[in-house]
Amino acid sequence: MVSMHGPDDEHDRNFATTLARGLSVLRAFRAGDDGLTNAQIAERTGLPKSTVSRLTFTLGRLGYLTRPQRNERYRPGPTLLALGHVAASSLSFLDVAQPMMQALADETGTLVLFAVRDRDKVALVRTWRPRHAASIWLEVGHRLPVGGSSSGLAILSATTGEEFAALLQDRPPEVADGSALADLRREGHGQLMANGYAVIRRELRHTANVSAVSVPFRSSRLAGPVSFSCGALDDVLPEARINEHVGRRLRETVQQLQGLIGQNASPAWTGTLDDEGGLA
């Protein structure tokens, strides 16, 4: 189910609920979809089908969605695609990262992922599959829990105090073992300080048989940290291989990217933890 807004937003007089619902319809689409029906959108968003029908009709009239004649399935429309190209300019560093991350995927035999925070979760924005090895498959748009994935842990552990407070306002899902997100954030920050990469504990994983290692990254074009990760099934990416090779290579590749785009040489997690579990 796509989260439309936080539990307190509906009580904020400045919050436009109808707009939030329309955006939740757009966020329901995934890269692998061959269009979505109103019923499928309703299932993914948790909205009533009658509400979805009105929203998709309006979004279609405005060009954000398109639906071929005699076809019940909606697809992203030209207006939404144009808006996406504008938004992609904020991620221009991915053009520089492309050959580096593909080389890393080929070298390690893992799926390399780029993820950003999407309110209470992290969303995959780009993936690189190894050319000569089978790998796990996660499509662009797939969402992972902040406290149940290495991608989420890396982002969480590089947040400032202000960014961490904003994350908590979005009410992310509870950590699997019931611990506080601030405690997990401190644990991840300790990993970053010691190793330069973060790995979610096995018992906290959202997907039990998939192992991953992640490194946070900051761009002056983005508000908050993002992450690059290497992921694979446990037998391909055991903990020993992360610590002996893959974690180090991911860290070095992200550092190289920082240098190529002229970013500050300081790692994304540099700072001192404050009392609230964020970076001071």
Side-chain angles (χ1 to χ4, degrees):
M1 180 182 298
V2 175
S3 173
M4 294 183 298
H5 52 78
D8 299 324
D9 286 335
E10 60 185 24
H11 302 299
D12 189 333
R13 56 195 295 266
N14 294 312
F15 190 81
T17 301
T18 301
L19 174 60
R21 289 175 173 173
L23 293 175
S24 75
V25 168
L26 299 179
R27 292 173 67 236
F29 288 84
R30 301 168 187 163
D33 291 331
D34 184 21
L36 294 176
T37 64
N38 281 334
Q40 290 172 318
I41 294 172
E43 181 180 359
R44 289 188 181 181
T45 61
L47 294 170
K49 187 177 178 182
S50 58
T51 300
V52 169
S53 297
R54 293 194 300 272
L55 292 171
T56 53
F57 174 81
T58 303
L59 291 167
R61 290 291 293 268
L62 295 175
Y64 290 94
L65 295 179
T66 185
R67 184 176 66 171
Q69 291 183 351
R70 299 182 297 278
N71 190 326
E72 295 183 354
R73 294 179 178 272
Y74 285 93
R75 292 175 173 80
T79 303
L80 183 59
L81 296 176
L83 193 62
H85 282 296
V86 174
S89 65
S90 297
L91 302 176
S92 57
F93 59 84
L94 288 180
D95 294 334
V96 179
Q98 171 65 34
M100 303 164 58
M101 297 303 166
Q102 185 60 59
L104 181 64
D106 293 339
E107 174 190 338
T108 61
T110 65
L111 181 70
V112 176
L113 315 169
F114 172 72
V116 302
R117 185 166 83 84
D118 183 12
R119 300 215 65 171
D120 63 334
K121 293 183 174 61
V122 294
L124 305 188
V125 175
R126 186 77 63 87
T127 64
W128 294 268
R129 291 172 60 86
R131 291 191 178 95
H132 305 298
S135 70
I136 58 173
W137 174 256
L138 290 174
E139 63 185 15
V140 170
H142 188 82
R143 290 173 172 83
L144 298 167
V146 172
S149 63
S150 292
S151 296
L153 180 61
I155 291 174
L156 174 68
S157 303
T159 55
T160 64
E162 183 178 358
E163 291 163 350
F164 184 63
L167 169 61
L168 293 180
Q169 287 181 349
D170 285 327
R171 304 289 178 88
E174 293 184 358
V175 182
D177 66 355
S179 60
L181 203 61
D183 292 336
L184 183 62
R185 188 252 176 270
R186 291 188 183 92
E187 177 184 323
H189 186 264
Q191 291 186 32
L192 293 175
M193 293 296 290
N195 304 316
Y197 54 80
V199 179
I200 197 75
R201 279 184 275 129
R202 181 183 297 270
E203 62 268 25
L204 301 183
R205 291 182 191 171
H206 175 66
T207 306
N209 64 338
V210 173
S211 178
V213 54
S214 303
V215 174
F217 177 81
R218 280 188 180 271
S219 166
S220 59
R221 305 292 297 275
L222 296 173
V226 295
S227 73
F228 288 93
S229 306
C230 292
L233 295 176
D234 281 335
D235 58 347
V236 175
L237 191 59
E239 182 178 354
R241 187 164 181 249
I242 288 176
N243 293 325
E244 292 169 4
H245 178 66
V246 178
R248 173 180 55 81
R249 289 292 297 119
L250 175 62
R251 182 188 66 219
E252 292 171 348
T253 303
V254 173
Q255 288 174 338
Q256 182 184 2
L257 175 62
Q258 273 189 293
L260 288 175
I261 65 173
Q263 288 293 126
N264 189 317
S266 299
W269 58 89
T270 300
T272 303
L273 286 175
D274 60 24
D275 292 337
E276 301 300 322
L279 288 174

